[in-house]
Amino acid sequence: MKKAIQKMSLTVFLLSTTLITTCIQPLSAMESNQTASSIKGPVDAKEVEAFADPLFADKMKQFNVNGSSFVVVRDGKVIVNKGYGFANKEKKIPVDKDTVFQIASVSKTFTALAAMQQVDAGNIDLHGNVEEYLGGLKIPNKTGKPVTMYDLLTYTSGIDLPDGIAITGAQYIDQDISMDEYLPKHMPTVIRPPGEAYTYDNSGFLLAGYAVENASGIPFAEYMDEKVFKPLGMTSSSVRFKPELMKRMAANYVGRKGELRPPEGRTPTDGPQGSILSTGEDMAKYMIMQLQNGKFDGKEIVSEKSMDLMHTYQIFADKDLPITTVGFEGYFPELANGQHVVLKGGNMPGHSSLMVLVPEQKTGFFMSYNNDSLLSSEIYKEFMDHYFPAIKEKAEPAYLPLSEKDAQKYFGLYQNTRVYFVRTSITYENGSLVLENEITGKQKLRMIHPLLFVDEEGNKIAFKEDKNGNIKYFYYATPKGALLVADSQKMEMKQTYSDVSNTSSYKTYINNLSALSIMGAKTGNKFDPTGTMTQGEFTDALIKAQGMYVFAGSEDGIRQQLAAGIPNLNPSAPITRQVAAVMIQNLKQLEPVATTKTKLQDTADAWAKDAITALVSQGIVDPDTKVSADGSFTFRAKDLLKRQEASALLDLAFGYYSLPIKRN
């Protein structure tokens, strides 16, 4: 679902997957004086509007949102369906119930529904090898365990690059690229046993939609029209950019300044992972069907058994940490205030959506708005606190002691299974596990039970063992972003290289990069620590270390970015230390730490000096570069870069360390 990385921020990437909240209080701070008698839910249109109108006015201003739809349903009826602000502020076109938005990843729930329809019809075996429904295509698989439709729909396929299969861009609006044409050239690889780990997965839902297409014999867009949209009376919904919908589509505004951008399509054209356009009017009908156990206007759209799978959590990090159903998600259960909630968020550049269902209360709400901010998370929290407030605060858990001996099984370097640039180290200090990464910094963890811990901010970390009792994954329910969207996997440390001594100051860096498959042996079991590298070899290692290549279509942009300002680049030429520093800084965009004095003593080219100073100021420096008390240092800028030096610079710049990074 991603394109060149310089055109899409990490925040947008996260929003395109799920609901990521920044407004969540620490668990211990969550309080409510409400009583059970106050839990009534939305029943009166005037009351809902009295609640929503000032809320949207305030939050839209806070998040610089020009326009939003908002629809609430309960007990099979639409309570409120209205718009706020402008679909197009330049033309003063207001948002109303018929304004069209790109609902992005909310589309995944429709794909799950279509797949379950085919399960109901006997055309797909939910727990059988999904390759049977891929028209002869094979999924490369390193595990020996076949992928099932159930794995795809619960985000547990084990695919290597869950965002590496589909590209977005304005140029794809008018193109028609079929899944038949696209998938054979872009098939992902299964690298973890299916069902073993949770990884939010766009590639998996694309494959699920393709399986629906083949099992039904109907092209995916036509299938959704005939089997879902028409039976539900969703006359303003489509997988494709139909002209009559484009005329009513809200403008796309991106970034904090709300820059107007053209809408973006995707390749392949029919995107089961996120290509549906819809309105508040249509989504009300869809939610009513969902809350009526698959029935709408006297028709069964999907069986009650299938709907149960869509509304019942299938994947858990811990018994109190539900993650996914078939198609839906349930992050931050604390915000549900004790209610059973399933939700799905979605984002395309300039459009965001959120659907929240409270099945046991027959209540749901949906909203779409025309920027890529976190407005939806605020509305969700306020909605639940207002209509379904928490009855009582949970008691603080009792924490268990943890000895250093017992802690050792958790130690290691972990990498997020979706966003490879998020790496975490877990060690031990003064009776506690210590978790460290660039996103959360250092966090001491307290043990609730041997597989469940809580950090200093009240966020839970759930570990998962393999069949031999060894720790293999953890799931971190932190609102700070990327760690939330997948399990993190413990990396296997390579055997010690025969030419890297145990006393080498580079050993840890070399082992880390080897475990992450960024740099490995040069020949046999030798790392060649003092050997040199070409510019091309360092570029390849740098791209792996940065980890952003996981986004489809991003690598070309990354290569252009890292080369900026460097004269006479030649992939086959040996790389100097100053060229390596500039390449790293081009991607990191770091500022020198104001409180750290640095003074470069040796000669470096003018185009490299600022990059060298910024990295050294941040502590991104190899062990053989010594910084004196007065901040002076010799970088050996024009010397050739040694492989061990490259390992240190790359590990420090893109590893787990919570350096004092401050971005421009």
Side-chain angles (χ1 to χ4, degrees), residues 43-58:
V43 295
D44 177 74
K46 289 184 178 180
E47 188 282 327
V48 174
E49 291 191 35
F51 158 72
D53 290 357
L55 176 63
F56 272 84
D58 177 52

Side-chain angles (χ1 to χ4, degrees), residues 94-139:
V95 175
D96 60 27
K97 63 184 180 65
D98 297 315
T99 301
V100 174
F101 288 89
Q102 295 174 275
I103 68 170
S105 285
V106 179
S107 303
K108 289 180 174 67
T109 69
F110 287 85
T111 299
L113 179 76
M116 295 313 298
Q117 286 178 328
Q118 289 301 296
V119 171
D120 289 342
N123 296 329
I124 290 179
D125 179 353
L126 186 61
H127 298 286
N129 190 339
V130 78
E131 286 184 344
E132 295 180 19
Y133 318 111
L134 298 183
L137 289 182
K138 300 296 182 183
I139 304 173

Side-chain angles (χ1 to χ4, degrees), residues 143-283:
T143 72
K145 184 179 179 182
V147 179
T148 69
M149 179 62 79
Y150 181 84
D151 297 325
L152 297 177
L153 299 181
T154 57
Y155 307 85
T156 58
S157 68
I159 285 172
D160 58 345
L161 296 175
D163 294 290
I165 201 170
I167 306 173
T168 67
Q171 69 271 30
Y172 298 118
I173 289 284
D174 298 321
Q175 296 189 32
D176 189 353
I177 302 171
S178 70
M179 288 189 275
D180 277 333
E181 174 188 353
Y182 189 82
L183 276 172
K185 303 172 185 176
H186 299 87
M187 189 62 69
T189 299
V190 176
I191 59 172
R192 287 178 298 277
E196 183 173 277
Y198 159 66
T199 306
Y200 188 95
D201 190 352
N202 285 301
S203 299
F205 271 80
L206 178 52
L207 290 174
Y210 188 57
V212 169
E213 182 171 282
N214 282 282
S216 66
I218 306 172
F220 185 75
E222 293 181 24
Y223 183 96
M224 297 306 296
D225 284 343
E226 296 299 321
K227 303 295 185 181
V228 179
F229 300 143
K230 286 184 180 179
L232 291 174
M234 297 177 68
T235 58
S236 294
S237 299
S238 176
V239 172
R240 296 201 163 201
F241 287 92
K242 294 181 178 179
E244 62 269 26
L245 299 183
M246 294 290 287
K247 292 177 182 177
R248 289 188 275 130
M249 194 164 89
N252 298 64
Y253 299 94
V254 301
R256 293 180 180 178
K257 296 181 179 180
E259 178 186 352
L260 181 64
R261 293 269 189 90
E264 297 192 358
R266 62 185 72 238
T267 177
T269 303
D270 298 340
Q273 77 282 14
S275 66
I276 290 177
L277 281 67
S278 193
T279 65
E281 181 83 353
D282 279 6
M283 290 301 295

Side-chain angles (χ1 to χ4, degrees), residues 556-578:
D556 289 344
I558 295 170
R559 288 182 181 274
Q560 292 175 14
Q561 184 178 348
L562 65 84
I566 304 174
N568 304 316
L569 276 179
N570 179 356
S572 60
I575 190 168
T576 61
R577 288 169 55 82
Q578 66 177 357

